[in-house]
Amino acid sequence: MATPTAMDACNYCGAPGALKCGRCHAACYCSRDHQRLDSGDHRDLCKNYTSVSSPDLGEHLAATCLILPGNLIFSENPILVGPVAYSDLICLGCHSAITEEDFSKCPDCKWPVCSKVCANSKSHWAECDVLAKDELGIGIPQHIGQTPRYDLIMLLRGLLLKETDPKSWKVLMAMQSHKEIWKKDNDPFHAAAVKYFTEVCKCGFDEDEIHHVRGVIMTNCMVFKSDKGTSLRALYPQFRLFNHSCIPNIHISSNSDGEITARAAVTIQKNEQLCISYTGTMEPLWQRQKYLSEIYKFQCQCKRCSDPTEFGTYFSSPRCPDCRRSFMLPSGNGSINWWICETCGLRYELIDVLQEVSDWLNRIDMSDFIGKRTVKQLNKDVDRMHDSFHPLHYVPLQFTQNLLREIKGENYVTFKLRQEIWENHLEICDKLEPGLTRRRGMVLFNLGATINGVVKSGIAEKEIYLPRVPSLLQEAKLFLLEAQRIFQLEPKTSRERHWLYSITSVYDEIEAMERSCQEGTEHLE
Ligand SMILES: [Zn+2]
Ligand SMILES: [Zn+2]
Ligand SMILES: [Zn+2]
Ligand SMILES: [Zn+2]
Ligand SMILES: [Zn+2]
Ligand SMILES: [Zn+2]
């Protein structure tokens, strides 16, 4: 048995120290003062992760120590920023949205910009020379509305790094691109983009490098909101090293410059892989699998995909139509072609599962469906849906998300319905996107605010049992505090920080209500 070791030496003065750096758990200090004095030197050495390679997982990141929820993994700036592939018109200089029908065009390349200043800006001049070679205007967006042509801009900016920023080019060239698969698959968008730079805007780009750069962009980008409110995508040196899991343990946030911050969403054990989700965590199994194989060229075998019940949510499984006692589960070994009822053995093909889901989604998608129904009827609709699906299934989630958007009315029954829905969404989040994640933060905030609404309307309409009020308000405050903890981790200049104001204002309102309830009872005494 190990005997207690002597205290390690303080990183700053060498004296024995018992304090450990909270992030890397490696550096020791004799006092907080010495930790502070050492912080400049320690910053570059302080890491709680490392990059490792394995034959089945490829190059990826893993924890080098126990990492707690909210702990910083790293922050980094992009090496490449550009519009998303399908973008509304956007200025190539400043990335503002262009909304006027008679928009300005760059005098040289004729792409939409917001002014001459932007046409001459540093971020546009290099690409302008190349784009100007498209004399027939094949790639140039002509009208307001979404256009897939912005795909070309990010690709071009990537190709130009070779000349303008050799260091970033080297990083880009080392990234995973699956270019052989892209070439072989004959993807029409991929082929058109390559052709544009080999045949239309001929600038001597190497065809193989074009395949590589587009593949890298498709596989490694992250989308963020710019300070102009437009969606942009960016490429990062380290971010790409996160592997994928449909139940990620890392939460990524970005500020309006595109700088990203990666933090632990949940407790991560030493040596555990650090994972983000490349696809939506609230997508059903077949959609996640399709997206991951089409874009990222692999079949997901994460913990969630390997559990046919998806952690007991039955998120993708319909109820068995024969025995009604169990759910149809994917038949295992990673295949989703056959679905089987555990109880009666009924077999479904994937197409039957998809049919059932799309029937329901079509029914609830009718935009006037919700508006015409009373709250009582809507409550029944939710119950009826639970006859066909588990309460944590994807279809009821879609329906209740629509419901939250559509139901009007600030009265007790509507607040009660909303409360039930938010509680249900929290349960889903806790299973599929747990920990300190933005989605969970939003749900917690909405749940807290809704309970506040339940109490207020309940008192006004004399619907609520008054002795229940203090515990309900206490519960709402706990949800809000947890939401606050999550949003405080967002970068200072991110849009998400604004949620903190809303959280505080509901919290203050609840405390005021608690005070007035207390005064009310004191008066009664
Ligand atoms: Zn010291
Ligand atoms: Zn450290
Ligand atoms: Zn502009
Ligand atoms: Zn131009
Ligand atoms: Zn998965
Ligand atoms: Zn059955």
Side-chain angles (χ1 to χ4, degrees):
M1 208 174 173
T3 49
T5 49
M7 279 193 284
D8 287 311
C10 169
N11 247 24
Y12 188 72
C13 70
L19 280 173
K20 285 214 161 160
C21 167
R23 182 152 176 253
C24 62
H25 298 264
C28 281
Y29 296 97
C30 66
S31 64
R32 291 261 171 243
D33 273 351
H34 280 186
Q35 179 171 21
R36 206 171 38 247
L37 288 167
D38 190 45
S39 62
D41 288 341
H42 181 56
R43 191 172 301 134
D44 289 340
L45 304 167
C46 183
K47 272 189 177 180
N48 48 15
Y49 68 97
T50 186
S51 147
V52 278
S53 245
S54 76
D56 48 334
L57 299 171
E59 192 184 7
H60 65 276
L61 302 179
T64 49
C65 57
L66 178 79
I67 305 179
L68 297 176
N71 278 8
L72 178 72
I73 310 296
F74 61 76
S75 295
E76 65 176 347
N77 285 303
I79 56 166
L80 180 63
V81 175
V84 293
Y86 284 84
S87 176
D88 289 321
L89 294 198
I90 188 171
C91 171
L92 294 187
C94 68
H95 295 144
S96 299
I98 292 177
T99 51
E100 305 288 322
E101 198 55 73
D102 59 339
F103 50 83
S104 323
K105 292 177 173 180
C106 168
D108 299 316
C109 69
K110 310 286 187 292
W111 276 67
V113 284
C114 55
S115 64
K116 271 216 176 87
V117 178
C118 282
N120 290 322
S121 66
K122 207 174 143 232
S123 57
H124 178 60
W125 64 262
E127 69 204 16
C128 187
D129 281 351
V130 181
L131 295 172
K133 296 200 163 26
D134 176 5
E135 284 166 359
L136 298 173
I138 294 168
I140 304 169
Q142 305 290 354
H143 306 286
I144 293 285
Q146 267 208 343
T147 149
R149 293 301 179 155
Y150 282 99
D151 182 28
L152 302 170
I153 299 301
M154 187 75 171
L155 172 53
L156 176 54
R157 289 181 184 179
L159 290 166
L160 288 168
L161 286 181
K162 192 174 183 179
E163 292 293 320
T164 59
D165 182 356
K167 215 173 127 201
S168 298
W169 173 255
K170 216 174 136 194
V171 176
L172 191 152
M173 288 310 281
M175 290 184 186
Q176 176 81 271
S177 75
H178 304 292
K179 69 177 174 197
E180 298 311 326
I181 306 179
W182 281 107
K183 281 187 206 172
K184 195 174 88 235
D185 280 358
N186 267 326
D187 179 274
F189 291 103
H190 186 83
V194 175
K195 215 168 158 187
Y196 190 74
F197 292 111
T198 51
E199 292 178 20
V200 182
C201 299
K202 282 189 231 167
C203 261
F205 292 124
D206 177 77
E207 187 169 337
D208 203 56
E209 286 176 355
I210 306 177
H211 283 291
H212 176 82
V213 174
R214 189 172 185 281
V216 165
I217 290 169
M218 293 303 287
T219 315
N220 299 286
C221 270
M222 149 116 190
V223 174
F224 71 97
K225 274 258 187 281
S226 71
D227 53 353
K228 306 285 186 332
T230 42
S231 291
L232 298 176
R233 51 185 176 163
L235 205 58
Y236 301 87
Q238 285 195 93
F239 171 70
R240 68 187 173 96
L241 292 173
F242 284 119
N243 265 357
H244 161 84
S245 168
C246 299
I247 174 155
N249 54 14
I250 295 294
H251 180 68
I252 302 286
S253 42
S254 53
N255 70 18
S256 55
D257 306 329
E259 184 195 37
I260 52 163
T261 302
R263 288 181 187 278
V266 292
T267 302
I268 301 172
Q269 302 297 329
K270 186 175 174 178
N271 297 329
E272 207 181 312
Q273 244 195 106
L274 307 183
C275 293
I276 57 168
S277 178
Y278 299 171
T279 160
T281 52
M282 298 295 146
E283 302 289 348
L285 179 63
W286 57 86
Q287 255 171 43
R288 302 195 311 271
Q289 298 259 337
K290 181 166 180 273
Y291 183 75
L292 293 169
S293 80
E294 273 175 11
I295 303 292
Y296 296 94
K297 317 295 179 194
F298 71 91
Q299 202 199 347
C300 189
Q301 293 176 326
C302 75
K303 267 193 284 184
R304 178 173 167 193
C305 292
S306 316
D307 175 355
T309 74
E310 296 182 61
F311 310 126
T313 59
Y314 299 88
F315 194 73
S316 315
S317 300
R319 192 182 288 280
C320 170
D322 273 11
C323 72
R324 322 269 328 145
R325 303 223 314 268
S326 299
F327 296 91
M328 307 298 293
L329 298 178
S331 62
N333 297 332
S335 161
I336 57 169
N337 294 333
W338 284 99
W339 297 59
I340 296 169
C341 168
E342 276 178 314
T343 305
C344 73
L346 179 75
R347 283 164 77 88
Y348 250 16
E349 274 188 74
L350 176 60
I351 194 163
D352 303 317
V353 178
L354 297 184
Q355 188 61 48
E356 184 152 354
V357 166
S358 77
D359 284 352
W360 273 95
L361 290 182
N362 288 337
R363 217 178 308 169
I364 58 182
D365 211 34
M366 290 181 293
S367 48
D368 55 358
F369 176 84
I370 292 166
K372 282 186 186 145
R373 299 181 74 74
T374 62
V375 174
K376 208 170 156 191
Q377 284 170 323
L378 289 170
N379 267 311
K380 275 208 179 120
D381 291 331
V382 175
D383 287 344
R384 228 159 29 92
M385 211 163 269
H386 294 169
D387 287 343
S388 295
F389 301 103
H390 191 280
L392 305 181
H393 187 277
Y394 164 73
V395 169
L397 175 67
Q398 296 298 305
F399 178 60
T400 50
Q401 274 172 347
N402 282 351
L403 252 179
L404 288 170
R405 263 194 303 272
E406 300 290 332
I407 47 172
K408 308 282 179 289
E410 304 268 293
N411 52 48
Y412 183 70
V413 279
T414 52
F415 274 121
K416 275 303 276 186
L417 176 59
R418 284 194 201 109
Q419 181 189 349
E420 267 171 43
I421 295 174
W422 285 120
E423 281 168 351
N424 171 268
H425 289 191
L426 182 59
E427 210 180 324
I428 296 175
C429 266
D430 285 344
K431 299 232 165 155
L432 302 182
E433 205 184 299
L436 305 180
T437 66
R438 189 177 307 144
R439 184 191 304 277
R440 202 167 152 271
M442 301 269 259
V443 172
L444 286 160
F445 164 64
N446 279 298
L447 181 53
T450 304
I451 296 175
N452 180 38
V454 167
V455 172
K456 273 201 302 189
S457 59
I459 293 175
E461 296 170 39
K462 298 199 168 50
E463 286 283 353
I464 205 165
Y465 178 55
L466 287 176
R468 272 278 287 141
V469 168
S471 66
L472 274 173
L473 292 179
Q474 190 54 32
E475 195 187 7
K477 276 165 62 176
L478 291 176
F479 289 135
L480 292 171
L481 285 175
E482 175 84 348
Q484 186 181 49
R485 181 175 169 222
I486 291 175
F487 284 105
Q488 272 167 346
L489 295 172
E490 293 285 345
K492 293 265 183 308
T493 64
S494 70
R495 304 185 144 233
E496 285 74 19
R497 287 288 282 203
H498 290 282
W499 284 87
L500 285 172
Y501 298 113
S502 314
I503 294 169
T504 314
S505 105
V506 179
Y507 194 90
D508 290 348
E509 202 180 299
I510 292 179
E511 291 217 306
M513 192 155 37
E514 281 178 331
R515 278 195 300 275
S516 76
C517 282
Q518 239 160 21
E519 281 161 19
T521 46
E522 276 162 17
H523 283 303
L524 285 177
E525 284 160 7

